[in-house]
């Protein structure tokens, strides 16, 4: 099976690639505006067909042994590994991310996720069976929830498809995934790889459509038992509202505004390099990207100078070139949105470097047709300003000074978000305090961004709830059932007297 042969079909339902019944839509390469694929979007009727396919596949898949599901996911990891070059190429074409990022991060991370959940499928955890009442044996079953409706974002289309699909199907559920219509292609490739790996038709389905048409219909569908959403906090609130109406389980991984806290005993060189990498990964289009650097005053000026100097060395250009460090943003509209944040910040802060769309790439190529934006460093912004509090989602880093440790940690927590953060220090006591007091689902020490399949990813506060990756994620996609057996064979039990009769 050629996973890249889409044939204008952007729906993958019951093991087949089909056309949607909605409007035509162009998947555009943001590096030059060329059309990667033209597809037909999903309608509500297409969503109904996909949910029906998932519902039909549920009895067989949910009753498959953990070992059988594990074997299928092991084969899936191998299929994805074999298709690694094609996956990286298509991911770069539809998102504009540098091919070296797709090749060295997105694709191997996805393969590793598949391998991890192949193992996790055989590890259903629960309290040990025992006679907790004295007269009964109790044990716990973990069972599939049912049909899962998932919505994934455009910034990491392949990885987010994996994060949604893998724990759901490992736990015995079936799924309908709606990827962002801007970047659906590698999600479709992932679903086709599932079929190639022998996962039964209907277990994994993909519908490509607009949020208000396909997304809302999927979330509200009466045959969908659980909803998982990754995206902005604003849209997440709408998803929760729709899901609550029918009492669905929800899993929300929402926005972020990650603080990067540099104490005065930190390794300055490490912090500077870490800040540049963590703020520019995926063009800054990452909900865990470092966006707010708080630097203790003795290191502040040197940190700003070091980041500005390193930003100037970042190679902007054609994302297909393995030498390119920073490609375009995902679309022209999003580039303009990021530019708007920076332009408004000029009235109350200092743009130290960047703040514009570059015209030439690192090798002299013309970039004016692409959605490019230069690495941008801002200082002097008030803590309550838009650029400090709002999710810019671009290659923009704001740096602010602080004095005492109390102030630094207070500022780190001073946003509605709580997805990720980092603390930079050589003092174990400072690091322990920071990891304890920063309200975020992940806190790195002397690094920022690395993720691993074995550990959970998810937020606090307005960044949502629930976990991706890890055993904790598998647990999210299961229902816990308590089973209790009488062990006495006594007809008239002592507790009956509390309802009728005497002892």
């Amino acid at each position: 099976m050629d996973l890249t042969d889409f044939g204008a079909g952007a729906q993958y339902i019951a093991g087949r690639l089909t056309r949607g019944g909605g409007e035509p839509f162009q998947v555009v390469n943001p590096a030059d505006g060329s059309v990667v694929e033209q597809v037909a979007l999903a309608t509500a009727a297409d969503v109904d067909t996909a949910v029906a396919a998932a519902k039909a596949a549920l009895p067989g898949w949910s009753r498959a042994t953990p070992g059988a599901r594990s074997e299928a996911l092991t084969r899936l990891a191998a299929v994805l590994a074999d298709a690694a070059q094609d996956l990286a190429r298509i991911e770069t074409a539809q998102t504009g991310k540098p091919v070296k990022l797709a090749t060295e991060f997105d694709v191997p991370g996805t393969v590793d996720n598949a391998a991890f959940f192949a193992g996790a499928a055989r590890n259903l955890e629960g309290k040990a069976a025992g006679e907790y009442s004295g007269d009964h044996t109790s044990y716990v079953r973990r069972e599939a929830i049912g049909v899962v409706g998932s919505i994934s974002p455009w910034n990491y289309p392949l990885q987010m498809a994996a994060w949604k699909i893998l724990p759901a199907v490992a736990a015995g559920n079936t799924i309908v995934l709606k990827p962002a219509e801007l970047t659906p292609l590698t999600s479709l490739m992932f679903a086709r790889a599932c079929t190639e790996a022998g996962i039964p038709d209907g277990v994994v389905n993909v519908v490509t459509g607009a949020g208000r048409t396909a997304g809302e219909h999927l979330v509200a569908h009466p045959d969908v038992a659980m909803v998982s959403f990754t995206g902005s906090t604003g849209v997440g609130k709408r998803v929760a509202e729709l899901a609550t109406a029918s009492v669905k389980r929800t899993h929300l991984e929402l926005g972020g505004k990650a603080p990067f806290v540099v104490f005065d005993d930190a390794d300055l060189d490490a912090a500077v390099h870490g800040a540049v990498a963590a703020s520019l990964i995926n063009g800054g289009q990452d909900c865990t990207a470092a966006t707010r650097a708080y630097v203790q005053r003795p290191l502040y000026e040197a940190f700003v100078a070091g980041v500005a100097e390193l930003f100037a060395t970042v190679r902007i250009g054609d994302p297909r070139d393995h030498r390119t460090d920073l490609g375009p943003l995902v679309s022209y509209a999003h580039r303009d949105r990021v530019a708007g944040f920076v332009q408004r910040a000029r009235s109350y802060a200092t743009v130290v470097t960047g703040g514009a769309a570059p015209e030439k790439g690192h090798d002299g190529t013309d970039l004016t047709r692409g959605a490019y934006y230069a690495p941008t460093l801002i200082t002097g912004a008030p803590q309550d300003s838009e650029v400090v509090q709002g999710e810019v989602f671009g290659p923009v880093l704001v740096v602010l000074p602080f004095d005492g440790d109390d102030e630094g940690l207070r500022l780190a927590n001073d946003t509605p978000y709580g997805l990720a953060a980092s603390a930079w220090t050589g003092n174990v006591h400072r690091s322990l305090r920071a990891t304890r007091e920063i309200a975020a689902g992940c806190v790195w020490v002397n690094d920022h961004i690395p993720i691993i399949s074995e550990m959970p990813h998810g937020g606090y506060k307005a960044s949502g709830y629930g976990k991706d990756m890890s055993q904790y994620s598998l647990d999210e996609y299961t229902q816990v059932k308590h089973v209790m057996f009488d062990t006495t064979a006594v007809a008239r039990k002592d507790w009956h007297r509390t309802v009728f009769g005497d002892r």
Side-chain angles (χ1 to χ4, degrees):
M1 179 187 292
D2 179 2
L3 302 183
T4 66
D5 182 11
F6 303 105
Q11 321 305 324
Y12 196 76
I13 300 172
R16 292 180 297 280
L17 197 62
T18 64
R19 293 179 61 89
E23 295 295 316
F25 185 84
Q26 292 181 336
V27 178
V28 174
N29 185 335
D32 57 14
S34 61
V35 176
V36 182
E37 289 284 342
Q38 179 162 304
V39 300
L41 295 179
T43 63
D46 294 316
V47 173
D48 289 341
T49 302
V51 172
K55 184 178 180 181
L58 180 63
W61 185 248
S62 63
R63 292 169 191 157
T65 65
R69 293 197 292 266
S70 175
E71 288 173 4
L73 293 178
T74 297
R75 293 192 298 269
L76 174 61
V79 173
L80 293 170
D82 287 344
Q85 288 187 343
D86 285 340
L87 287 165
R89 175 173 58 83
I90 299 297
E91 193 78 331
T92 291
Q94 68 177 352
T95 64
K97 68 177 62 192
V99 71
K100 68 176 181 178
L101 180 66
T103 301
E104 299 178 29
F105 181 73
D106 298 65
V107 174
T110 300
V111 173
D112 186 69
N113 262 246
F116 172 81
F117 280 106
R122 305 182 77 148
N123 186 39
L124 300 176
E125 294 192 343
K127 195 172 184 69
E131 290 68 52
Y132 296 99
S133 76
D135 292 335
H136 305 83
T137 296
S138 290
Y139 66 84
V140 166
R141 289 179 58 87
R142 282 196 179 272
E143 298 179 347
I145 295 172
V147 176
V148 177
S150 290
I151 300 175
S152 57
W154 48 256
N155 56 337
Y156 289 100
L158 177 63
Q159 283 200 310
M160 295 299 99
W163 286 17
K164 299 301 184 192
I165 292 169
L166 290 169
V169 301
N173 303 283
T174 57
I175 188 168
V176 178
L177 173 74
K178 192 205 85 65
E181 62 269 32
L182 288 177
T183 57
L185 302 180
T186 49
S187 299
L188 292 165
M189 293 172 68
F190 190 98
R192 299 182 80 187
C194 290
T195 298
E196 183 80 0
I199 295 175
D201 294 349
V203 172
V204 176
N205 308 274
V206 174
V207 291
T208 301
R212 292 193 177 276
T213 303
E216 293 201 358
H217 190 66
L218 178 62
V219 170
H221 201 288
D223 289 332
V224 169
M226 174 180 173
V227 172
S228 178
F229 170 80
T230 296
S232 71
T233 297
V235 178
K237 291 178 181 178
R238 174 61 175 162
V239 168
E241 177 187 346
L242 290 168
T244 299
S246 52
V247 201
K248 297 183 193 333
R249 183 182 296 194
T250 54
H251 167 235
L252 304 175
E253 199 265 270
L254 307 177
K257 191 69 180 175
F260 186 101
V261 184
V262 182
F263 294 97
D264 58 12
D265 63 344
D267 181 324
L268 178 63
D269 189 49
V272 167
H273 280 78
V276 171
S279 62
L280 299 185
I281 185 171
N282 204 38
Q285 300 166 124
D286 186 314
C287 47
T288 62
T291 58
R292 301 177 291 138
Y294 297 104
V295 183
Q296 203 153 19
R297 198 149 324 249
L299 297 184
Y300 175 74
E301 290 187 4
F303 180 89
V304 170
V307 170
E309 181 180 355
L310 209 52
F311 268 7
T313 69
V314 171
R315 295 167 297 188
I316 308 172
D318 185 343
R320 296 171 299 180
D321 183 345
H322 280 269
R323 297 171 299 167
T324 292
D325 301 319
L326 184 67
L329 301 184
V330 74
S331 69
Y332 305 105
H334 186 63
R335 188 267 312 275
D336 293 345
R337 177 184 176 277
V338 171
F341 271 92
V342 176
Q343 187 58 34
R344 292 188 295 274
R346 293 181 188 276
S347 66
Y348 55 78
T350 300
V351 177
V352 177
T353 186
E359 295 184 355
K360 297 290 184 182
H362 63 88
D363 59 355
T365 55
D366 181 14
L367 301 183
T368 56
R369 290 190 300 157
Y372 292 89
Y373 200 76
T376 300
L377 178 62
I378 295 175
T379 60
Q383 174 65 16
D384 62 355
S385 62
E386 177 193 48
V387 78
V388 173
Q389 295 292 326
E391 193 173 22
V392 179
F393 224 58
V396 178
L397 177 65
V398 181
V399 184
L400 300 174
F402 70 91
D403 291 306
D405 290 15
D406 290 350
E407 181 188 15
L409 296 175
R410 178 181 62 79
L411 292 172
N413 284 329
D414 184 28
T415 72
Y417 300 106
L419 186 58
S422 63
W424 297 74
T425 175
N427 184 301
V428 66
H429 301 292
R430 266 180 163 166
S431 66
L432 288 170
R433 182 187 177 191
T435 57
R436 181 178 67 247
E437 295 187 13
I438 294 176
C442 176
V443 182
W444 294 282
V445 176
N446 295 331
D447 208 344
H448 192 117
I449 284 295
I451 54 175
I452 50 175
S453 297
E454 291 83 359
M455 287 293 166
H457 177 85
Y460 286 19
K461 304 190 294 186
S463 292
Y465 49 82
K467 300 299 178 184
D468 290 311
M469 300 192 294
S470 79
Q471 184 70 34
Y472 296 98
S473 179
L474 183 77
D475 293 349
E476 297 265 354
Y477 290 90
T478 63
Q479 301 201 80
V480 176
K481 178 185 287 183
H482 171 210
V483 178
M484 195 175 204
F485 287 87
D486 169 64
T487 60
T488 66
V490 173
R492 296 183 60 183
K493 296 177 170 57
D494 187 55
W495 72 267
H496 291 176
R497 68 184 174 81
T498 64
V499 181
F500 71 98
D502 300 319
R503 186 185 294 274

